Amino acid sequence: DTAVSQTPKYLVTQMGNDKSIKCEQNLGHDTMYWYKQDSKKFLKIMFSYNNKELIINETVPNRFSPKSPDKAHLNLHINSLELGDSAVYFCASSQIRVSTNEKLFFGSGTQLSVL
Amino acid sequence: DAKTTQPNSMESNEEEPVHLPCNHSTISGTDYIHWYRQLPSQGPEYVIHGLTSNVNNRMASLAIAEDRKSSTLILHRATLRDAAVYYCILRVASGSARQLTFGSGTQLTVLP
């Protein structure tokens, strides 16, 4: 069983469309994250949720809206897609709240291409 | 902000040891040093972490300088499957998102 799974793996869409990326973890973790990896391979935190509560929102445009129906799921909805949104998006989870000692477990990524 | 500096790329021969350096001169006393790696077309995976003492696990060893301003990830015997981007990050105690941002990492190429 995949620990952190996200779908779809590839997403190609037109500018202006609305799309969602789903993420599920079966590790029993309390905290989930969304990361964006740009073309230079920098991985930057976007959001973090702990037990369905938003705890980190890193200057992400409000076109991006995370939704956590339960602590095992953190979906990312993106409105009015722009060319600059093209990137690889990774979901991750950790056992407890953001901590210096905690390991992150990542999904395999969603390659978003906005045309 | 606590930052790390790594070489953009390194090469190693298969079955030889690899030493991947990381500088973190602004590290503070409570910051943990974490290493992750990202294989092609996959998400990052945890490798190892430490605070002050050297650490060993089944994947690698982490050697931390006495002043903690640098560290080295050691792969004892590189295999072709170790070809990846290796990220050194500091997990700071402030609780902010700064601790969760990865740099550009070191692209390790393993030559057969």
Side-chain angles (χ1 to χ4, degrees), chain B residues 3 8-10 18 22 33-34 41 50 56 64-65 80 84-85 87 92 94:
Chain B
K3 290 182 180 174
N8 288 334
S9 61
M10 290 185 66
V18 182
C22 181
I33 302 156
H34 284 240
S41 301
N56 299 299
I64 300 173
L80 296 178
V85 178
Y87 296 96
V92 303
S94 67

Side-chain angles (χ1 to χ4, degrees), chain B:
Chain B
D1 285 359
K3 290 182 180 174
T4 62
T5 306
Q6 300 175 253
N8 288 334
S9 61
M10 290 185 66
E11 278 188 358
S12 171
N13 293 319
E14 198 176 8
E15 299 189 5
E16 289 187 358
V18 182
H19 290 233
L20 296 163
C22 181
N23 287 321
H24 28 78
S25 57
T26 58
I27 193 170
S28 67
T30 53
D31 296 346
Y32 278 78
I33 302 156
H34 284 240
W35 284 82
Y36 284 74
R37 73 178 186 180
Q38 186 174 16
L39 301 172
S41 301
Q42 294 189 28
E45 66 172 337
Y46 167 83
V47 177
I48 201 166
H49 76 280
L51 184 61
T52 56
S53 305
N54 294 345
V55 184
N56 299 299
N57 66 21
R58 63 173 181 82
M59 288 181 74
S61 295
L62 177 60
I64 300 173
E66 200 169 327
D67 63 6
R68 299 208 328 124
K69 293 186 177 182
S70 65
S71 61
T72 303
L73 180 71
I74 303 166
L75 306 179
H76 294 286
R77 205 162 155 263
T79 69
L80 296 178
R81 286 174 295 179
D82 291 321
V85 178
Y86 286 79
Y87 296 96
C88 166
I89 63 172
L90 299 183
R91 298 294 296 274
V92 303
S94 67
S96 80
R98 290 180 291 120
Q99 65 164 294
L100 296 168
T101 295
F102 292 49
S104 56
T106 297
Q107 173 71 62
L108 175 66
T109 301
V110 180
L111 304 172

Side-chain angles (χ1 to χ4, degrees), chain A residues 9 33 35 37 40-45 48 56 58 90 98-109, chain B residues 30-32 34 36 38 41-46 49 87 91-93 95-97 99-104:
Chain A
K9 189 164 178 63
Y33 311 81
Y35 276 82
Q37 187 169 42
K40 294 184 179 178
K41 302 297 184 186
F42 281 95
L43 267 163
K44 191 170 181 185
I45 183 72
S48 176
I56 290 174
E58 272 298 292
F90 288 98
V98 173
S99 151
T100 56
N101 205 14
E102 192 60 22
K103 301 175 194 177
L104 299 172
F105 292 79
F106 284 82
S108 57
Chain B
T30 53
D31 296 346
Y32 278 78
H34 284 240
Y36 284 74
Q38 186 174 16
S41 301
Q42 294 189 28
E45 66 172 337
Y46 167 83
H49 76 280
Y87 296 96
R91 298 294 296 274
V92 303
S96 80
Q99 65 164 294
L100 296 168
T101 295
F102 292 49
S104 56

